[in-house]
């Protein structure tokens, strides 16, 4: 039992030590660029903002990976923000957008996903009848539905009348 506890404790401590070493290496360069919307169709406009450059600092943006070229991130509140338009000829895929801070030359990056279909904000519900090829009593044409109901009513009345005559012995 003690051996299992020691093994689990040692594993947890090792994982924690790796997490402390890896986290600063990841957070140091890049990753601080917010791309909104994160997914866009060709021809769409994208807003980019970062707080990694400091207050009142501009940055040079580079969206040439997607074909949009350079743009400027101007000071906006506590961040630097800028916009660019994705070219209509952009191909679907994930592209890296880069901003270089003017003050210290630090590079921050973010990802932009180009898709061919725009994400829908609301649920779309189907309308109308299902086109199965066989048809049904409640099709899209009310005249055909009424004619079918009338034919069934006549058949039911005629069948009832014939059964009633036969039961009385009128002869059929």
């Amino acid at each position: 039992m003690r051996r299992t506890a020691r093994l689990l404790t040692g594993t947890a401590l090792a994982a924690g030590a790796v997490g402390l070493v890896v986290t600063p290496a990841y957070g140091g360069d890049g990753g601080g660029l917010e791309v909104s919307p994160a997914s866009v169709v060709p021809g769409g406009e994208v807003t980019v903002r970062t707080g990694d450059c400091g207050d009142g600092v501009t940055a040079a943006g580079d969206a040439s990976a997607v074909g949009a070229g350079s743009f400027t991130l101007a000071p906006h509140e506590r961040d630097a923000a800028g916009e660019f338009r994705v070219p209509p000829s952009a191909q679907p895929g994930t592209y890296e957008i880069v901003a270089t801070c003017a003050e210290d030359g630090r590079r921050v990056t973010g990802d932009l996903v180009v898709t061919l279909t725009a994400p829908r904000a609301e649920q779309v519900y189907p309308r109308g009848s299902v086109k199965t090829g066989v048809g049904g009593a409640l099709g899209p044409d009310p005249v055909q539905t009424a004619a079918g109901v009338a034919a069934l009513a006549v058949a039911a009345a005629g069948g009832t009348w014939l059964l009633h005559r036969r039961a009385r012995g009128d002869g059929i």
Side-chain angles (χ1 to χ4, degrees):
M1 183 69 162
R2 280 187 181 176
R3 187 174 186 165
T4 305
R6 284 184 187 169
L7 181 63
L8 291 175
T9 303
T11 304
L13 288 174
V18 169
L20 289 175
V21 171
V22 172
T23 303
Y26 177 76
D29 183 35
L33 195 65
E34 179 185 330
V35 179
S36 177
S39 179
V40 68
V41 296
E45 192 165 307
V46 177
T47 302
V48 177
R49 88 182 319 124
T50 184
D52 288 355
C53 291
D55 290 344
V57 177
T58 62
D62 181 18
S64 58
V66 73
S70 300
F71 62 98
T72 303
L73 283 81
H76 180 72
E77 296 175 4
R78 301 186 79 114
D79 297 336
E83 295 179 341
F84 67 91
R85 184 170 299 279
V86 176
S89 61
Q91 297 298 313
T94 302
Y95 297 94
E96 183 179 62
I97 308 301
V98 180
T100 306
C101 301
E103 190 172 280
D104 59 3
R106 182 185 331 179
R107 287 178 42 135
V108 289
T109 61
D111 286 337
L112 173 68
V113 178
V114 176
T115 62
L116 293 180
T117 58
R120 298 208 109 162
E122 59 190 52
Q123 180 68 31
V124 177
Y125 298 100
R127 296 184 327 223
S129 62
V130 179
K131 307 284 191 247
T132 60
V134 176
L138 298 176
D141 189 9
V143 174
Q144 289 180 352
T145 302
V149 169
L152 287 174
V154 167
T160 303
W161 178 72
L162 286 174
L163 287 176
H164 190 287
R165 270 188 69 191
R166 186 172 190 184
R168 282 194 328 208
D170 289 346
I172 286 191

